[in-house]
């Protein structure tokens, strides 16, 4: 039993000495930029539940629909695009209790439908 404890203490010392020498990982998170001019028209998709979304255009609620109907409805709203060739920007918002996976699925569905400008809503805090 004593040799086993000696081996464990030697391994512990080796790990304690080598741990500070290991490189730490750095994650580059995306930053929020500020636009010079706000778009004239914005389509906002608010995830109420994982399979239901509320659609807003220029801060006016239109209706609540299923995620499967979302891409056709957004493409129909983008037909008259005053914002150039990329179309009307689509912003995805979600409640705190909605899983992030559901947000990514909605974003992926819109991208596959051909919506060019899809972004996530962010809330800035403080200075």
């Amino acid at each position: 039993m004593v040799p086993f404890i000696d081996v464990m203490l030697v391994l512990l010392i080796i790990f304690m000495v080598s741990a500070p020498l290991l490189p730490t990982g750095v994650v580059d998170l995306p930053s929020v930029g500020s636009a010079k001019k706000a778009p004239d028209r914005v389509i906002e998709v608010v995830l109420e539940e994982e399979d239901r979304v509320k659609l807003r255009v220029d801060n006016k609620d239109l209706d609540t629909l299923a995620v499967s109907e979302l891409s056709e409805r957004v493409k129909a709203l983008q037909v008259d695009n005053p914002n150039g060739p990329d179309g009307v920007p689509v912003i995805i918002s979600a409640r705190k209790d909605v899983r992030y996976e559901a947000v990514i699925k909605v974003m992926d569905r819109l991208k596959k439908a051909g919506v060019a400008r899809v972004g996530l809503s962010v809330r800035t805090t403080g200075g």
Side-chain angles (χ1 to χ4, degrees):
M1 190 72 172
V2 174
F4 179 70
I5 294 173
D6 290 341
V7 170
M8 293 304 292
L9 288 175
V10 168
L11 287 175
L12 179 65
I13 291 171
I14 290 172
F15 285 126
M16 288 174 57
V17 169
S18 64
L21 302 175
L22 294 174
T24 57
V26 176
V27 178
D28 293 327
L29 296 175
S31 62
V32 178
S34 59
K36 293 182 176 136
K37 180 183 176 264
D40 299 331
R41 192 168 175 216
V42 174
I43 299 172
E44 185 176 2
V45 176
V46 181
L47 268 78
E48 296 291 322
E49 299 170 15
E50 291 193 19
D51 59 344
R52 304 290 299 170
V53 295
K54 185 189 300 182
L55 206 56
R56 287 185 188 154
V57 177
D58 299 329
N59 292 327
K60 296 176 188 139
D61 291 343
L62 289 183
D63 58 348
T64 303
L65 50 119
V67 172
S68 58
E69 305 167 356
L70 178 66
S71 57
E72 295 86 19
R73 186 69 190 267
V74 169
K75 290 297 282 184
L77 287 171
Q78 282 192 327
V79 169
D80 54 339
N81 56 358
N83 293 339
D86 288 339
V88 179
V90 178
I91 298 173
I92 301 173
S93 302
R95 294 187 332 208
K96 284 184 178 181
D97 60 338
V98 175
R99 293 177 46 165
Y100 190 66
E101 180 182 5
V103 175
I104 296 300
K105 284 182 181 179
V106 168
M107 180 180 258
D108 184 49
R109 184 179 292 269
L110 290 172
K111 284 288 192 179
K112 285 181 180 176
V115 178
R117 296 173 65 188
V118 179
L120 296 174
S121 174
V122 295
R123 181 176 297 157
T124 58
T125 57

